[in-house]
Amino acid sequence: MDKKIFITLGIESSCDETGIGIYSSEKGLLSHKLFSQIELHSDYGGVVPELASRDHIQKTLPLIKEALKSSNIALQDLSGVAYTAGPGLAGALLVGSSIAQSLAWGLGIPALGVHHMEGHLLAPLLASSKLDFPFVALLVSGGHTMLVEVGGIGQYKIMGESLDDAVGEAFDKTAKILGLGYPGGPALANLATKGTAGRFDFPRPMTDRPGLDFSFSGLKTFARNTYLKYPKEKPSIAKAFEIAATQTLMIKCRRAIEKTNFSTLVVAGGVSANNCLRQTLDKMAESLDIDVYYPDPEFCTDNGAMIALAGHYRLLSGQSNDDYEIQIRPRWNLEELQPV
Ligand code: KG4
Ligand code: ZN
């Protein structure tokens, strides 16, 4: 194989998904594999950290073998290994980090810890080869809700974030109240398609004052109270929740765009798979005459491809961990990242 081609292996293990991706400087994403632990945790209604770590240990190496096979390359063809160093569950992160460092050490290639949210933020690049900097990014996942001013890779300024529940968490908690399974976001979105818009009107939290921060914990309480009063109207409650959450996100995105004067919005993270959110933001983008980019639906939720991609840019620029040290950052501020 031509040595000038740089091939990065990416390992994601921050929560309840084991994800592997292989990214090539010549051909882009060669392959990616994913094992979701949803079934493992569903009896508990949420992620059990010890079970998550144990499962990552079992799945990571077999998935790497599968990904290499699908990519038609050998372990020795890899040029670098990237893994999610944080934020996330410490035990789960340690699994990905240990495997990445050991592999890289054995192969004599660099290893690098990647920020999970940078992976999400850059995921639209898996589909299209370019994103014009600067842009505003709306990151919406199970653990984070953030508006970020993005000057370039690694140049992040947080403009606003959730003061309590992340929007994905609010979807999950509301779904639980309505008796839907875990994780509830997709199930709630599905139920909402059967609801009547306007039957209930939920608040748009923190939109009546200036600023770009969010608060979503009140919405789930509103959903609970409405459900106690109207237990037979689950689909319309789901609809009202979804509309309120997406309108709130849209109002803050519009403010962020107006504040920066940027003409591009990137939306990523698990909740960016939501159709109602996409329709709402598409409409807003049209009225403001700006571009909006989303990852392909399969790369909205956690995956290894986005970690391979983010790691790829950084490894190519010469960044790597010192001395194959097993480094994790369970809490890690996006603004602390080094520019590329
Ligand atoms: O990015 P992600 O896979 O994991 C984290 O980094 O947290 O996001 C998972 C979150 C969960 O809260 C899940 O319910 C939500 O994304 N989610 C959705 C949809 N698909 C996933 N929420 C609303 N609508 C969806 N279609
Ligand atoms: Zn995520």
Side-chain angles (χ1 to χ4, degrees):
M1 177 155 300
D2 185 343
K3 270 292 161 200
K4 274 180 280 182
I5 299 171
F6 197 96
I7 301 181
T8 304
L9 171 72
I11 303 175
E12 157 61 34
S13 73
S14 65
C15 190
D16 57 350
E17 248 106 29
T18 314
I20 303 297
I22 300 182
Y23 195 89
S24 147
S25 53
E26 185 194 36
K27 294 180 181 157
L29 186 66
L30 297 181
S31 75
H32 81 106
K33 302 286 167 188
L34 191 71
F35 180 82
S36 168
Q37 303 177 354
I38 283 175
E39 229 173 90
L40 183 70
H41 302 290
S42 61
D43 286 350
Y44 305 93
V47 180
V48 183
E50 289 80 2
L51 295 182
S53 317
R54 212 180 299 164
D55 206 63
H56 286 307
I57 292 173
Q58 288 173 344
K59 298 295 177 340
T60 306
L61 287 177
L63 283 182
I64 291 175
K65 279 190 190 147
E66 275 183 41
L68 288 168
K69 198 167 166 211
S70 300
S71 302
N72 222 354
I73 62 164
L75 206 49
Q76 288 72 19
D77 294 324
L78 295 175
S79 320
V81 186
Y83 65 94
T84 304
L89 302 169
L93 293 168
L94 276 173
V95 177
S97 174
S98 315
I99 293 174
Q101 304 286 4
S102 316
L103 256 181
W105 183 78
L107 293 167
I109 57 177
L112 179 70
V114 168
H115 195 294
H116 181 82
M117 298 312 290
E118 177 171 73
H120 277 305
L121 194 152
L122 297 177
L125 278 171
L126 289 164
S128 91
S129 57
K130 79 176 186 52
L131 272 181
D132 287 329
F133 296 103
F135 57 78
V136 169
L138 171 71
L139 301 181
V140 277
S141 72
H144 295 86
T145 308
M146 282 191 261
L147 274 164
V148 188
E149 187 180 321
V150 181
I153 297 178
Q155 296 171 44
Y156 308 127
K157 192 166 159 267
I158 296 172
M159 305 176 74
E161 58 192 328
S162 181
L163 305 178
D164 43 53
D165 292 353
V167 64
E169 189 180 354
F171 265 91
D172 294 340
K173 287 179 175 171
T174 302
K176 202 168 180 179
I177 290 164
L178 298 178
L180 307 171
Y182 157 84
L188 187 136
N190 194 26
L191 184 65
T193 61
K194 302 181 187 92
T196 307
R199 169 70 183 94
F200 301 108
D201 192 21
F202 282 29
R204 277 68 164 146
M206 290 184 71
T207 53
D208 56 352
R209 65 191 96 160
L212 294 167
D213 287 333
F214 304 92
S215 165
F216 286 106
S217 68
L219 270 187
K220 111 206 136 205
T221 312
F222 207 90
R224 179 183 292 117
N225 293 339
T226 311
Y227 178 53
L228 288 174
K229 223 164 154 191
Y230 303 96
K232 291 195 181 131
E233 301 203 47
K234 282 190 201 179
S236 292
I237 294 171
K239 185 102 187 164
F241 170 86
E242 188 180 48
I243 291 174
T246 53
Q247 288 285 328
T248 303
L249 292 169
M250 183 275 286
I251 291 166
K252 298 286 163 108
C253 281
R254 195 172 56 206
R255 273 187 206 169
I257 288 288
E258 282 164 357
K259 189 169 173 190
T260 55
N261 242 337
F262 292 170
S263 54
T264 304
L265 174 70
V266 167
V267 190
V271 183
S272 68
N274 184 277
N275 281 330
C276 176
L277 178 64
R278 287 182 178 221
Q279 283 162 15
T280 308
L281 292 178
D282 284 346
K283 220 190 257 174
M284 177 204 79
E286 207 183 314
S287 75
L288 295 179
D289 195 21
I290 62 160
D291 294 320
V292 55
Y293 294 95
Y294 312 90
D296 282 347
E298 67 173 330
F299 299 127
C300 288
T301 43
D302 290 350
N303 65 85
M306 68 185 196
I307 301 304
L309 176 92
H312 190 76
Y313 286 113
R314 290 186 171 275
L315 285 162
L316 263 184
S317 79
Q319 296 180 12
S320 68
N321 285 10
D322 293 335
D323 299 331
Y324 299 110
E325 216 176 279
I326 294 173
Q327 291 176 356
I328 58 160
R329 301 276 303 266
R331 297 172 73 86
W332 190 2
N333 186 336
L334 197 60
E335 290 183 343
E336 289 170 23
L337 298 192
Q338 284 190 11
V340 171

